[in-house]
Amino acid sequence: MDIKIGKTTLTLILGDITLEETDAIVNAANSMLAGGGGVDGAIHRAGGPGIMEECRRIGRCPTGSAVITTGGNLKAKNVIHTVGPIYRDGNSGEGCLLVSAYRKSLEIAVKNGIRSISFPSISAGAYGYPIKEAAKIALKTVVEFIEFIIEQGKPELVRFVLFSDRDQRVYEEALKDLMKIKGVT
Ligand code: ADP
């Protein structure tokens, strides 16, 4: 599914983010930047040890923040590592932290002249964020950011790379609902 917001295209696809050829891919990292399972492990495996070396030099990344490294052996030139919240009960500030993870990733992308960027569904795996809520927050934050930078028109492409049919369907429903709320059909 594709939508256009000003000059920017927002796309939802099913796939493996490590294969993406966008300028940057986003990693759902942990605050120690220490690597781990899920998408984090997959990115470091595919990108090679250089990315971890850069992470070690950077040190830590607080929850809701983002840092950037090169893409090592990946096709993407850069990896933006962001740390989403661990989901507890939905009333412990998780929403704000998830918004911040997406926003900081996009800010760092703009600052680095990145024209295309791919996101996984941050916090929706090991960190336990319910996928429907995670999708709603992710899409609202990204759409509002694109609307905010509309004059600039960069990044030109923002892509969500979902890892299962179900996640893709949930994101598609959430995007349709968001467009309805905004009065776009
Ligand atoms: P977190 O700790 O932030 O929850 P995870 O890596 O456990 O991060 O999961 C985040 C999301 O990334 C989940 O929806 C998971 O299914 C998905 N995911 C895992 N591997 C990949 C991959 N190679 N490409 C895209 N998405 C992935």
Side-chain angles (χ1 to χ4, degrees), residues 70-120:
T70 66
N73 303 330
L74 296 168
K75 287 190 178 129
K77 285 195 286 289
N78 289 101
V79 177
I80 295 171
H81 307 259
T82 190
V83 183
I86 297 171
Y87 189 85
R88 293 185 208 288
D89 53 9
N91 291 311
S92 306
E94 298 97 326
C96 290
L97 288 167
L98 190 57
V99 167
S100 177
Y102 281 101
R103 215 176 265 162
K104 290 275 163 59
S105 299
L106 288 162
E107 281 170 9
I108 226 172
V110 168
K111 216 184 278 169
N112 285 273
I114 282 159
R115 300 161 81 99
S116 54
I117 180 169
S118 298
F119 282 98

Side-chain angles (χ1 to χ4, degrees), residues 20 43 50 57 71 93 104 106 119 129 153 155 161 176 181 184-185:
E20 280 301 313
I43 288 172
R57 252 177 272 137
K104 290 275 163 59
L106 288 162
F119 282 98
Y129 221 111
V161 182
K176 282 180 202 152
I181 292 165
V184 182
T185 47

Side-chain angles (χ1 to χ4, degrees), residues 33 66 76 94 104 117 146-147 150 154 165:
L33 300 176
E94 298 97 326
K104 290 275 163 59
I117 180 169
I146 296 170
E147 286 171 343
I150 214 145
K154 275 188 206 113
D165 288 329

